[in-house]
Amino acid sequence: MYATNPCLTLVPAIRNKPEHIADRIVDAILARKLAPGARLGEQPLADLFGVSRTIVREALTRLAARGMVEVNSRRGWFVVQPSPDDAREAFAARRLIETGLLQSLAAPLAGAPLRRLRAHVAQEQAAVAAADAGERSFLLGDFHVCLAECAGNGTLAEILRDLTARTTLIAVLYQSNHEAAQSCAEHAGIVAALERGDAAGAAELMRRHIDSVAAHLDPSGAVDPLASLRSALSPVGGVKPAGKAGKAQALHTSAAVRKGLFTPLLTDPPSSSTPEY
């Protein structure tokens, strides 16, 4: 009898685990395939992965604990939409963690870890050249996770994976125009400093890199979730009814607009003393 290939027996088991589903969702966020506010239906996910809704719910609950998704009791699960304060905190955390990680290196990176970082940067460069937006975004974010793993700190690598996913959502939401080619060049500079054994220089380059990405965010340019509804319900000014009835209707409409009958509903979020979860 032929021996069973252990890889073949492990794949279905891995795919059915909540952590696998959670990792796939985080990867999709890093690749900018899931946008802030995207709905994550339990049944579609269960069908996609061939698991029960209970397994999907466990995966989403884990992601909620990691700050990746949120749940509304009436509307379901959604990818988080970070606020400007969330953005500042996330980048500040990354700055502290990643510069500290590089400054605390006990010895210069060499051998397999350094080769892995060089290969990662080469993959980034290829994705940038090919204009593969999804692969490019994933690799640029994953560089920071890869760097922590190469430095031998798996715990920080896990933390950075979540932080990097959050800052990816922030970049999408606040329309970052930080060039991918620029990020890739900055990553290459960090690896070159590590190759020279200059951990302090690498840490300074990392600080500048994170600050540069954060500086390109514009909180005032956040995506308006009511844009389409706002446009659809804006007053119609191109058609003017004829006759006395038309004039009366126009005056009535004008007065309604002045009083702001609809505007507060579209611009001001409803206040409530009870938070929604």
Side-chain angles (χ1 to χ4, degrees):
M1 294 177 64
Y2 293 102
T4 304
N5 186 333
C7 293
L8 295 178
T9 59
L10 285 174
V11 168
I14 293 173
R15 289 193 61 196
N16 291 342
K17 290 184 177 295
E19 52 266 35
H20 169 73
I21 299 171
D23 286 345
R24 288 282 298 277
I25 291 172
V26 174
D27 286 350
I29 291 172
L30 284 168
R32 299 196 180 199
K33 293 181 179 179
L34 281 176
R39 190 174 188 278
L40 300 169
E42 289 183 8
Q43 192 58 56
L45 286 172
D47 294 341
L48 178 65
F49 289 98
V51 298
S52 68
R53 290 181 63 172
T54 301
I55 298 294
V56 168
R57 198 173 298 120
E58 183 178 342
L60 294 173
T61 300
R62 293 185 181 198
L63 287 175
R66 292 161 60 182
M68 296 291 102
V69 305
E70 55 191 359
V71 65
N72 180 297
S73 59
R74 293 184 296 277
R75 299 173 59 229
W77 298 89
F78 296 85
V79 177
V80 296
Q81 299 188 69
S83 68
D85 285 341
D86 293 332
R88 284 188 287 271
E89 291 176 5
F91 278 104
R94 281 189 56 186
R95 188 184 304 111
L96 286 172
I97 291 172
E98 298 191 58
T99 56
L101 173 69
L102 292 171
Q103 289 170 344
S104 64
L105 286 175
L109 287 185
L114 191 57
R115 288 195 296 273
R116 181 182 172 192
L117 284 173
R118 284 202 214 101
H120 197 289
V121 170
Q123 285 181 294
E124 290 180 22
Q125 293 167 338
V128 169
D132 187 338
E135 181 75 4
R136 179 183 68 202
S137 178
F138 176 82
L139 288 170
L140 289 173
D142 191 55
F143 170 81
H144 300 270
V145 181
C146 179
L147 180 56
E149 290 175 344
C150 289
N153 198 317
T155 300
L156 285 185
E158 291 182 11
I159 294 172
L160 281 173
R161 189 159 186 261
D162 288 355
L163 276 175
T164 303
R166 287 179 67 81
T167 50
T168 297
L169 290 173
I170 289 163
V172 171
L173 190 60
Y174 299 113
Q175 301 174 334
S176 172
N177 62 350
H178 191 262
E179 292 289 343
Q182 181 182 342
S183 278
C184 184
E186 289 166 358
H187 290 173
I190 292 167
V191 174
L194 291 171
E195 191 170 5
R196 295 192 303 268
D198 184 7
E204 175 60 18
L205 289 172
M206 179 64 79
R207 183 191 65 77
R208 293 179 191 174
H209 168 59
I210 293 173
D211 286 348
S212 178
V213 176
H216 283 79
L217 301 176
D218 180 13
S220 66
V223 175
D224 180 5
L226 296 177
S228 59
L229 183 62
R230 194 185 310 280
S231 175
L233 298 182
S234 61
V236 179
V239 179
K240 296 182 179 179
K244 293 181 179 179
K247 290 181 180 179
Q249 180 181 346
L251 288 172
H252 176 74
T253 302
S254 177
V257 171
R258 285 198 302 272
K259 291 179 182 178
L261 294 180
F262 296 105
T263 304
L265 294 177
L266 301 178
T267 57
D268 299 330
S271 59
S272 173
S273 57
T274 305
E276 296 180 356
Y277 298 99

